[in-house]
Amino acid sequence: MEAAAMRKASSQASLADPDDFDLTRLLNHKPRINVERQRSFDDRSLGELSIAGAGTASRGGWGWGYYGGGMESYESMYSPGGGLRSYSGTPASSTRLSFEPHPLIGEAWDALRRSIVSFRGQPIGTIAAVDHSADGEVLNYDQVFVRDFVPSALAFLMNGEPEIVRNFLLKTLVLQGWEKRIDRFKLGEGAMPASFKVLKDPRRGVDKLVADFGESAIGRVAPVDSGFWWIIILRAYTKSTGDMTLAETPMCQKGIRLIMNQCLAEGFDTFPTLLCADGCCMIDRRMGVYGYPIEIQALFFMALRCALLMLKPDAEGKEMMERIVTRLTALSYHMRSYFWLDFQQLNDIYRFKTEEYSHTAVNKFNVNPESIPDWLFDFMPTRGGYFVGNVSPARMDFRWFALGNCVAILASLATPDQAAAIMDLIEERWEDLVGEMPVKICYPAIEGHEWQIVTGCDPKNTRWSYHNGGSWPVLLWLLTAACIKTGRLKIARRAIDLAEARLARDGWPEYYDGKLGRYIGKQARKFQTWSIAGYLVAKMMLEDPSHLGMISLEEEKPTKPVLRRSASWTV
């Protein structure tokens, strides 16, 4: 009966007025928050997830280890946010610890709560910014962005407030069911919105939603990352609360499958990576990330793993799980082999020959050594490495991108050695990648004639500003999470100290400008919600590292093959 009701609600959601469905009516039961530690989706290794029912599907080739050099595996811990709730404005994790919380914590929580958006009396998200100094020009900063809500969702989960996260997941799931058109072209069924806005309907006197699937965005590009972030938030909710019933509902299972279907569709691709346009992710303007940007590939990998852990192995789920496992194996090999750059690999590329044919080719993408930028030779230390920004035929974007590299660590796309090398690079090139305000979104900035060609003379993405080498405080939580996973807590503490010295004083800006991140961004909004939430998440994770389990995936341990008797074996 419940499944039938779900199908009915899901099918009707794409009709003229899907907002008639209250969040409380989408599910016939209340959230079940399990305080006791339960065996969550993640605790099952890939070898235990029986796709074929009889355990005949192979999961081999994922013999991965642990990070942190003997540290306890945080992934297996139950995040203590679930079942707790703080009404004082300070996070629940801080109240359980013996030391005094930083005075910025309360101020940050007050600011975060001011950004909460309600729909028909229920909280469903946080707007991008609450900037009262913007002279009335709010642009789209008064909307709830899927990617922007990620640190907010984690902060609320860590503080034992899962309701707003659950409501957000359900409402965006309804929006996914809308018919999505840009001009006269229909988007894929699985596309998630970039953002949505709550409006008061004067005719009916009720709230209604207006969603943006890219038709209002800069450049009219649909967000590729929204669906991935939605899956990651759903897994974080499940991990934090122990409530697996939400992910197991027919609505959520269908939502996951739709997102996966859109990404795993067969075409003319010869690479397992995902081909994307400029402006499809956090860098939502033209910045030369078209092709196979590291941010999307890392998020794609993480979403694939989260989906595999949450899909039910029923008739529809089993086939999807098989496709995911096949793609994960190819994607991890491709990324680790061709996107990885360290001193030795750089030296090898420097000596590449071009115009190589056949399967014996070493320079498989025909990258010309002359395309290596001069800055890279001085930037690359002998100890350290990173995943480059993009790899495609005759092109290798050697820029460093923070989000993609941090997510690669959290998703275990990076091997333990590669993860350690990424952290080594951050330490070795601290002034370049962190400076005075964590963290550079990319390095280095492009300028001059290259800036004109790559960005289309974008006046907002001038050198060392905004997406072009600007410093974004929201990335602090990703850096902190990567530091905890790799056991490099000193780096996280140093970065948080830098942020605490300025963020509140400067009004929680969206981004900072300058080669060292010394100046508040020329067009940065104040009281940017994800700057606030990013700080809170970083602080709470550092104080209680078990929270890392919400957002981190451990490498899979090798499974022993099942020995079966031969059909001809007789006693």
Side-chain angles (χ1 to χ4, degrees), residues 278-503:
D278 249 324
C280 67
C281 53
M282 178 181 174
I283 299 177
D284 59 2
R285 303 167 76 94
R286 182 177 166 191
M287 265 291 290
V289 301
Y290 62 90
Y292 305 91
I294 179 61
E295 176 177 334
I296 290 297
Q297 311 316 318
L299 286 172
F300 180 35
F301 183 87
M302 190 169 198
L304 285 170
R305 290 200 62 194
C306 289
L308 184 62
L309 294 165
M310 293 187 295
L311 281 170
K312 296 169 69 174
D314 52 20
E316 294 178 293
K318 186 178 79 169
E319 185 269 340
M320 180 60 66
M321 292 167 77
E322 290 172 344
R323 292 169 63 189
I324 290 174
V325 169
T326 300
R327 189 61 165 264
L328 278 170
T329 303
L331 183 60
S332 61
Y333 173 82
H334 184 92
M335 296 297 297
R336 293 169 180 178
S337 301
Y338 305 125
F339 274 67
W340 181 252
L341 187 69
D342 55 22
F343 184 84
Q344 182 59 52
Q345 181 68 4
L346 176 59
N347 207 157
D348 292 342
I349 296 172
Y350 178 70
R351 293 167 51 81
F352 267 174
K353 296 178 181 179
T354 57
E355 306 301 322
E356 293 182 299
Y357 295 89
S358 82
H359 297 289
T360 61
V362 175
N363 186 2
K364 294 186 177 182
F365 297 94
N366 199 36
V367 175
N368 194 317
E370 297 300 317
S371 67
I372 302 175
D374 291 338
W375 63 264
L376 184 59
F377 294 104
D378 293 328
F379 176 77
M380 179 61 72
T382 54
R383 184 177 67 95
Y386 64 103
F387 289 100
V388 298
N390 219 314
V391 176
S392 56
R395 179 192 179 212
M396 188 172 282
D397 184 349
F398 293 97
R399 285 178 294 175
W400 148 273
F401 289 88
L403 193 152
N405 276 272
C406 288
V407 171
I409 292 175
L410 296 177
S412 290
L413 171 59
T415 66
D417 287 343
Q418 288 172 340
I422 292 171
M423 303 312 297
D424 288 340
L425 179 76
I426 293 173
E427 278 193 311
E428 292 286 330
R429 296 292 177 258
W430 184 267
E431 291 299 306
D432 295 323
L433 303 181
V434 180
E436 296 184 18
M437 176 54 66
V439 177
K440 281 267 177 263
I441 190 171
C442 71
Y443 180 88
I446 50 179
E447 49 189 317
H449 184 59
E450 184 184 13
W451 166 79
Q452 293 178 333
I453 295 173
V454 173
T455 73
C457 299
D458 187 347
K460 196 168 185 178
N461 272 329
T462 53
R463 62 175 185 169
W464 306 114
S465 179
Y466 203 51
H467 298 140
N468 189 13
S471 298
W472 291 70
V474 64
L475 297 173
L476 180 64
W477 81 263
L478 282 160
L479 175 63
T480 301
C483 288
I484 295 172
K485 184 163 185 177
T486 54
R488 310 289 274 272
L489 302 186
K490 183 179 179 181
I491 297 177
R493 292 191 186 99
R494 184 180 177 188
I496 290 174
D497 286 345
L498 285 173
E500 285 180 336
R502 293 196 58 186
L503 273 180

Side-chain angles (χ1 to χ4, degrees), residues 35 87 101 124 146 246 341-342 348 394 442 445 456 460 533 569:
V35 180
Y87 295 94
I124 61 166
V146 174
L246 178 62
L341 187 69
D342 55 22
D348 292 342
C442 71
K460 196 168 185 178
W569 185 88

Side-chain angles (χ1 to χ4, degrees), residues 135-184:
D135 299 325
E137 188 183 19
V138 296
L139 298 176
N140 58 355
Y141 285 85
D142 62 344
Q143 298 184 26
V144 179
F145 283 82
V146 174
R147 76 174 65 97
D148 289 43
F149 184 66
V150 175
S152 296
L154 295 176
F156 287 122
L157 288 173
M158 291 177 186
N159 201 41
E161 302 179 55
E163 179 189 7
I164 186 173
V165 182
R166 183 184 179 88
N167 292 343
F168 170 87
L169 288 166
L170 288 171
K171 201 55 183 173
T172 46
L173 198 57
V174 170
L175 296 176
Q176 184 194 40
W178 284 15
E179 184 178 86
K180 302 169 277 285
R181 289 183 180 273
I182 296 182
D183 292 333
R184 298 183 180 182

